[in-house]
Amino acid sequence: MVRNACPGQTGAVSEPWVLHVDLDQFIAAVEVLRRPELAGKAVIVGGRGDPTERAVVSTASYEARKFGVGSGMPLRIAARKVPDAVILPVDADTYLAASEKVMSVLHSQPGATVQVLGWDEAFVGVLTENPEAYARRLQQAVLEETMLHCSVGIGDTLVRAKVATRFGKPAGVFRLTNANWLEVMGSRPTIELWGVGTKVSRRLATLGIRTVAQLAASNPDDLVPEFGPKMGPWYAQLGRGDGARTVDDTPWVARGHSRETTFQRDLTESGQIHDAVRELAAQVLEDVAAEGRPVIGLTLKVRYAPFLTKTYGRKIPQTSDPAEVLARTLDLAAKIEPDRPVRLLGLRAEMPMPEDSRQGHTPTRSGW
DNA sequence: TCTGGGGTCCTAGGACCC
DNA sequence: TCTGGGGTCCTAGGACCC
């Protein structure tokens, strides 16, 4: 299992390792920090903290998870499952501040290359002869500086490190390499892989592939007809836990910015819809302007009640003029079908990318 | 009154050009 | 009248992640 569990078993040879650091119940933990009386209670964070509204759970504390509450679940359902839960509104600024503290601790670790994946997780690349010891020191440093616990997955690839973390939770360390990947993951369903969701796992099942071991043994070419020339081989590689081995700390540059709103009551009046589109445009323009970058494309997303989603998009001539962007947005909004209740509106602005950041340093797919 | 909000990337199919 | 391929660009939709 953990090859180097016995100290002194290996020679003193430094090797490159990937560590995946994941804060434990991050959002709930941050809330408990500022309200210590919540420790040990069922805490649910989501939306504006009002379980009668259309909103979903962002994070639930372990105590709430025992009742079957998880992130993504409608807040209303969660409140029903845990009647005496403390339900709190999402406070993004506070989580971001806590996240920045954690990330700065990671950056300060000796020899660490850090690739941030989100508020509460990051890859850390390091050259060490004892990754477990390094991971423990890292956990200790994060705890001392932020009072937050994290789990660490150790791997010889990014995918294996990422998948390893769950076996370390909470507050533990687990190592997953080519040597034990199939032993640990082989008999598990493909949906447990990072990047395989319900849809893909079902499509794999129609090909007779249900377990990670079956996916690992599959011929990449056989997956091309079902998943295409890129995704097919990529899934086969995922089944083996293979992929990139180096942590990439290239600063992330946003491809675009978007805002969306789910209305508490579906919109039916065209005037309301028009106003909502203008407000979205104003918000998106603010985000784009904050970076001082122009806009080259717009996509308007409309969810007609109950769940039919349509997108209307187009490239536009590069512009930094808010009035121009607003005018183009309103052009798109003319495509919204009248006489249909609108439950959600979203607007995304695409920005030009610098030449050298073409390929993905992205959390999800490309290059892995 | 089931299903948020902010992201990324891939694929299919049509238009258009040579 | 019937009919190739290859390439690129664009839009719409889908899937996944945190």
Side-chain angles (χ1 to χ4, degrees):
Chain A
M1 190 172 64
V2 179
R3 220 178 60 209
N4 282 358
C6 319
Q9 176 195 339
T10 58
V13 179
S14 282
E15 293 175 75
W17 288 100
V18 180
L19 275 57
H20 176 255
V21 180
D22 195 316
L23 279 295
D24 296 333
Q25 47 174 359
F26 174 65
I27 289 174
V30 171
E31 292 291 352
V32 170
L33 276 187
R34 65 174 166 187
R35 297 172 63 174
E37 71 274 15
L38 297 182
K41 293 195 177 161
V43 176
I44 297 171
V45 182
R48 290 186 284 195
D50 180 349
T52 67
E53 289 192 345
R54 283 176 180 165
V56 298
V57 175
S58 287
T59 302
S61 67
Y62 289 133
E63 289 78 9
R65 291 180 203 190
K66 283 186 211 150
F67 292 87
V69 173
S71 43
M73 176 179 291
L75 209 50
R76 195 175 298 127
I77 311 262
R80 206 180 300 150
K81 282 180 180 274
V82 198
D84 50 0
V86 178
I87 302 180
L88 301 173
V90 173
D91 177 4
D93 292 341
T94 296
Y95 313 144
L96 183 61
S99 172
E100 283 171 354
K101 267 167 99 179
V102 171
M103 297 307 164
S104 87
V105 174
L106 301 188
H107 276 106
S108 71
Q109 297 303 294
T113 303
V114 179
Q115 180 178 355
V116 177
L117 294 188
W119 273 350
D120 64 343
E121 60 176 305
F123 284 121
V124 174
V126 67
L127 208 59
T128 177
E129 61 190 57
N130 189 341
E132 276 78 12
Y134 191 96
R136 290 295 182 188
R137 285 194 296 272
L138 189 154
Q139 288 174 315
Q140 193 58 35
V142 169
L143 182 60
E144 280 169 12
E145 301 284 326
T146 69
M147 297 177 36
L148 295 168
H149 290 275
C150 62
S151 304
V152 179
I154 298 170
D156 52 352
T157 66
L158 301 191
V159 165
R160 293 197 184 109
K162 167 76 184 177
V163 173
T165 306
R166 88 174 63 140
F167 300 107
K169 280 192 173 288
V173 176
F174 194 87
R175 186 198 289 211
L176 212 42
T177 66
N178 185 46
N180 64 345
W181 170 259
L182 280 183
E183 176 192 326
V184 175
M185 291 296 295
S187 63
R188 293 172 177 266
T190 57
I191 198 168
E192 294 195 15
L193 292 167
W194 183 36
V196 175
T198 50
K199 302 298 171 83
V200 168
S201 69
R202 254 180 237 150
R203 284 163 74 187
L204 284 167
T206 66
L207 302 177
I209 298 169
R210 288 180 179 77
T211 66
V212 172
Q214 288 170 332
L215 185 56
S218 68
N219 181 342
D221 295 335
D222 294 345
L223 302 180
V224 170
E226 176 66 25
F227 297 105
K230 283 206 158 116
M231 300 309 285
W234 186 72
Y235 289 129
Q237 187 184 54
L238 202 57
R240 302 191 306 270
D242 278 341
R245 292 169 183 274
T246 43
V247 176
D248 181 350
D249 62 355
T250 309
W252 174 76
V253 182
R255 270 80 173 150
H257 286 296
S258 68
R259 290 296 189 103
E260 64 179 59
T261 313
T262 297
F263 304 108
Q264 291 300 322
R265 301 243 290 270
D266 301 342
L267 302 189
T268 49
E269 314 263 323
S270 66
Q272 292 178 308
I273 294 170
H274 188 264
D275 290 347
V277 169
R278 293 182 74 100
E279 190 173 333
L280 274 178
Q283 291 174 347
V284 169
L285 277 164
E286 209 175 295
D287 294 342
V288 171
E291 290 192 43
R293 291 162 68 198
V295 176
I296 57 170
L298 292 166
T299 306
L300 186 68
K301 180 162 132 187
V302 184
R303 176 127 83 221
Y304 299 103
F307 289 109
L308 172 69
T309 301
K310 294 206 178 246
T311 58
Y312 312 106
R314 70 148 174 248
K315 297 266 178 207
I316 64 170
Q318 179 169 319
T319 178
S320 294
D321 176 10
E324 173 75 14
V325 174
L326 177 59
R328 301 277 185 182
T329 302
L330 293 176
D331 285 349
L332 281 178
K335 296 190 186 178
I336 296 174
E337 297 176 34
D339 310 323
R340 263 180 123 159
V342 171
R343 177 158 303 181
L344 171 153
L345 281 177
L347 181 66
R348 173 185 156 84
E350 191 190 337
M351 302 179 296
M353 293 304 291
E355 281 309 314
D356 55 10
S357 63
R358 298 231 34 89
Q359 55 191 7
H361 309 298
T362 57
T364 46
R365 224 146 282 173
S366 175
W368 302 14

